[in-house]
Amino acid sequence: MVVAPEIRKIGIIGLGSMGAGIAQLAVEAGYEAIGREVTAELGQQARGRIAHFLQRKVDKERMSADDRDAALARLTLTTDLAELAGCDLVIEAIVEDLGAKLALFADLEEVVRSDAILATNTSALSVTEIAAAVAEPARVVGMHFFNPAPLMPLVEIVRAELSSSEAVEAAYAVGERMGKHPVRCHDTPGFVVNRVLIPLLNDCLRVLDEARVSPEDLDTAMTAGAGWPMGPCTLVDLVGIDVHVHASEALYEKLREPRMAPPPRIVAMKNAGLLGRKSGRGFYTYE
Ligand code: CAA
């Protein structure tokens, strides 16, 4: 596949916490970015979050006010997929639903140039299965960012079965320009980090019941005893309990290892709408 000679404009589809974080990285790295949400209101909320985090950098003298303004000016918003026509790279960060992603990629291919790269930020679905939605799967790669995207240094650059080397290397270069530490890997369930982290977090959650320990004490145990930057309950609340349950189920479906399956306790939390930080309540309560 021939890829665009230079990535100048990046489209981001879905401006939830991951998509907004990726859009922030794009404009901070000097790319033109266009973010697509389903409503103008959701787009504005994402812009507000990005403006808030950039302002914090200005307050801490890590960014000038001029650079903040220039970064925000590079971000446009739309609700219309057709406006992504001029993008050299589009990064999808919508809901983790294979059907929704397949429909989106099929629509997207109708809109973008033939040399545009299409990336998915999926955390646990197969990039190869998503790429099957398009006529030219060579253009599809995974770019898996970690939550919170602006702070976590890693991005996994995922090669699907039919990804072209040009698309993989172009995505890797974008990750580097965003200031990340990209790693290349193949499209296996959970890629690198989630293959390890998901069963580990599920073990932690099982220990809550087995050791009859409180979420606070489990978090203290893993931060003070294992050097984790945040405890497992805080981390699952940050990632989103629905996202964690979905990733666990997706890995369990592919690998059939019992440790991958989400513990019943967390499935019950998801079903009750306790989704962590984003819903105001998970293992902890948030303002
Ligand atoms: N976006 C942008 N900027 C943000 C932000 C966000 N979401 N959250 C915080 N910031 C900025 C803020 O401006 C903040 O400064 P102020 O408080 O002065 O405003 C600044 O970053 C620093 O924030 P913290 O003080 O909270 O930073 P910290 O030193 O405590 O580190 C952390 C925070 C990097 C998140 C650290 O706690 C950590 O590494 N935690 C582990 C996170 C992790 O493991 N993530 C991976 C989850 S798994 C995943 O994502 C995979 C998947 O597919 C589900």
Side-chain angles (χ1 to χ4, degrees):
M1 171 211 178
V2 178
V3 300
E6 192 191 346
I7 306 287
R8 292 200 188 90
K9 185 167 184 183
I10 300 181
I12 301 99
I13 305 184
L15 297 174
S17 50
M18 292 308 294
I22 296 166
Q24 179 182 332
L25 286 166
V27 292
E28 280 194 76
Y31 293 108
E32 291 296 320
I34 176 161
R36 190 257 189 169
E37 253 301 348
V38 285
T39 67
E41 193 190 3
L42 286 172
Q44 286 303 337
Q45 281 174 16
R47 181 192 285 282
R49 284 202 305 280
I50 294 168
H52 165 80
F53 286 124
L54 295 184
Q55 181 57 41
R56 292 295 301 158
K57 286 191 157 182
V58 174
D59 295 343
K60 288 184 278 186
E61 297 182 354
R62 290 197 197 136
M63 177 181 249
S64 72
D66 285 351
D67 285 349
R68 173 204 60 203
D69 293 344
L72 284 172
R74 283 192 286 273
L75 176 66
T76 53
L77 298 171
T78 184
T79 55
D80 182 3
L81 201 62
E83 288 196 32
L84 274 68
C87 292
D88 307 300
L89 164 69
V90 179
I91 305 175
E92 166 274 314
I94 67 165
V95 63
E96 285 283 87
D97 178 283
L98 182 61
K101 288 186 197 282
L102 290 174
L104 175 66
F105 272 72
D107 290 346
L108 195 53
E109 198 179 37
E110 298 294 312
V111 164
V112 294
R113 289 193 320 265
S114 62
D115 62 355
I117 297 166
L118 307 182
T120 172
N121 179 55
T122 186
S123 53
L125 296 173
S126 158
V127 182
T128 305
E129 284 178 36
I130 295 168
V134 301
E136 193 176 3
R139 59 163 63 195
V140 179
V141 297
M143 286 186 82
H144 182 216
F145 292 84
F146 290 78
N147 195 340
L151 303 188
M152 296 299 289
L154 183 68
V155 56
E156 293 171 331
I157 306 297
V158 184
R159 176 189 283 272
E161 285 307 308
L162 298 173
S163 303
S164 73
S165 296
E166 291 78 7
V168 169
E169 293 313 315
Y172 186 97
V174 169
E176 276 190 318
R177 184 165 151 193
M178 287 177 170
K180 298 292 166 198
H181 293 297
V183 297
R184 299 176 188 84
C185 60
H186 280 256
D187 181 31
T188 51
F191 316 133
V192 178
V193 171
N194 278 345
R195 171 69 178 78
V196 177
L197 188 59
I198 297 285
L200 193 52
L201 286 173
N202 284 336
D203 280 347
C204 289
L205 300 176
R206 289 185 185 102
V207 166
L208 279 176
D209 297 323
E210 289 165 12
R212 279 171 276 169
V213 68
S214 67
E216 290 84 353
D217 282 353
L218 176 61
D219 279 358
T220 301
M222 295 310 290
T223 51
W228 286 24
M230 59 173 47
C233 297
T234 308
L235 181 56
V236 173
D237 270 2
L238 170 72
V239 164
I241 284 170
D242 52 340
V243 173
H244 179 76
V245 167
H246 178 274
S248 300
E249 283 170 345
L251 290 190
Y252 181 65
E253 193 182 304
K254 296 274 191 247
L255 298 168
R256 295 287 163 201
E257 287 181 27
R259 290 177 66 230
M260 301 291 175
R265 175 190 186 118
I266 194 160
V267 176
M269 288 174 75
K270 186 202 93 170
N271 291 340
L274 305 178
L275 305 183
R277 277 195 203 186
K278 64 184 164 194
S279 73
R281 213 174 131 201
F283 287 102
Y284 299 99
T285 302
Y286 302 87
E287 287 297 308

